[in-house]
Amino acid sequence: MDMDRLKTGALLILGVVLVAWIDSFFLTWLVLGVAFIFAFYEAMKLYGVDDSSMYVYAVALWLVSLVYQNPDDLIFIAFVVAISYMLFKGKLEKQKLLPLLYPTASFLFLLALYKGFGMEALIWLTLVVALTDTGAYFSGKKFGKTQFNPISPKKTWEGVIGGIIVATVFGAWYGASFVSGFLALFISALVSVSSIYGDLYESFLKRKAGVKDSGNILPGHGGMLDRVDGFMFGAIMMVVLLRGLA
């Protein structure tokens, strides 16, 4: 096993456990913010957007999220302001809107999940995303035969289904401690499926950009987006479902 990958993975797990144990809004906001800026930088590269002013807007948006009641609502304001400014300048540069959608919106939803439903919900999300990925890997190794999607040629239907089943069962077990059992099962299943497509979308971006990893900030793991891709769709799904059904 790659020692760099092992060491980085251990440090990431330790960091996540520490943040969860301390359970401080400011610390969670700060850690998510650091991850967001790195992910935003990588997404800009993958999209082929070269405009340094975008980083200023990203930082400003995250600073506002510290005091705004519903952080995820800020993404709509960001889109309105960005499109209005582009129209004022006489040029609608649609490519520059993409980093606002992925990963900006997703990180705002991650913060909204914590702010609205507590650390338990973030742990639930992490459990589902991690088990989807791990379950898919081992199921694919053992039973994988049928390719899931050419965008990610190593993924198999057998692996994906195995990952979803594992994540749904254990996610439902954990989630049932604060929502009904049926709802925990339903949310875990949809979040698990969403995380699969969050990962697939990042694979699509990397293939289009002609790169293996989104970056190299995490030795043995690649970039920040390579580690959080499953959360990018999963967080949005969990927030919307919890708000609408819980």
Side-chain angles (χ1 to χ4, degrees):
M1 180 177 287
D2 187 339
M3 286 305 295
D4 285 340
R5 183 177 180 84
L6 186 63
K7 290 177 183 177
T8 303
L11 287 174
L12 287 173
I13 292 172
L14 180 61
V16 169
V17 170
L18 187 61
V19 170
W21 179 67
I22 294 174
D23 193 6
S24 158
F25 172 73
F26 180 76
L27 178 62
T28 303
W29 170 84
L30 184 63
V31 171
L32 286 176
V34 171
F36 164 56
I37 295 304
F38 280 113
F40 188 84
Y41 169 79
E42 292 168 3
M44 289 277 284
K45 297 295 183 184
L46 293 178
Y47 287 126
V49 176
D50 185 18
D51 184 351
S52 57
S53 67
M54 293 283 288
Y55 299 106
V56 177
Y57 304 142
V59 171
L61 191 61
W62 196 256
L63 287 174
V64 174
S65 74
L66 177 63
V67 296
Y68 200 79
Q69 184 64 30
N70 295 312
D72 50 311
D73 288 349
L74 291 173
I75 195 59
F76 300 107
I77 296 175
F79 266 103
V80 169
V81 171
I83 293 173
S84 298
Y85 180 71
M86 288 178 188
L87 291 174
F88 175 75
K89 299 290 286 187
K91 187 177 182 181
L92 185 59
E93 300 173 279
K94 298 178 183 178
Q95 195 74 4
K96 289 185 178 181
L97 297 175
L98 295 176
L100 293 178
L101 183 63
Y102 180 100
T104 305
S106 300
F107 272 93
L108 288 171
F109 270 87
L110 275 170
L111 186 62
L113 181 64
Y114 175 77
K115 199 165 187 178
F117 301 97
M119 184 58 73
E120 292 83 1
L122 266 184
I123 294 173
W124 185 9
L125 175 65
T126 302
L127 184 70
V128 171
V129 172
L131 287 178
T132 300
D133 189 49
T134 304
Y137 175 79
F138 286 106
S139 297
K141 280 278 189 181
K142 181 71 174 177
F143 307 107
K145 292 181 180 179
T146 312
Q147 188 183 73
F148 174 64
N149 192 291
I151 293 174
S152 187
K154 291 184 179 180
K155 275 191 174 62
T156 63
W157 272 107
E158 293 81 2
V160 166
I161 292 171
I164 292 172
I165 291 173
V166 171
T168 300
V169 170
F170 283 94
W173 167 76
Y174 180 83
S177 61
F178 44 95
V179 297
S180 71
F182 173 77
L183 189 56
L185 187 74
F186 181 69
I187 291 176
S188 295
L190 289 187
V191 169
S192 179
V193 172
S194 298
S195 74
I196 293 286
Y197 282 93
D199 177 88
L200 193 64
Y201 180 62
E202 199 231 355
S203 295
F204 166 76
L205 293 180
K206 290 189 292 186
R207 282 175 68 90
K208 190 175 180 181
V211 297
K212 180 179 181 294
D213 298 317
S214 64
N216 56 13
I217 188 177
L218 301 172
H221 288 259
M224 187 62 69
L225 277 176
D226 294 318
R227 289 297 90 210
V228 302
D229 50 6
F231 292 87
M232 297 296 92
F233 286 8
I236 296 173
M237 183 66 72
M238 183 167 277
V239 170
V240 172
L241 291 177
L242 283 175
R243 281 182 180 164
L245 300 175

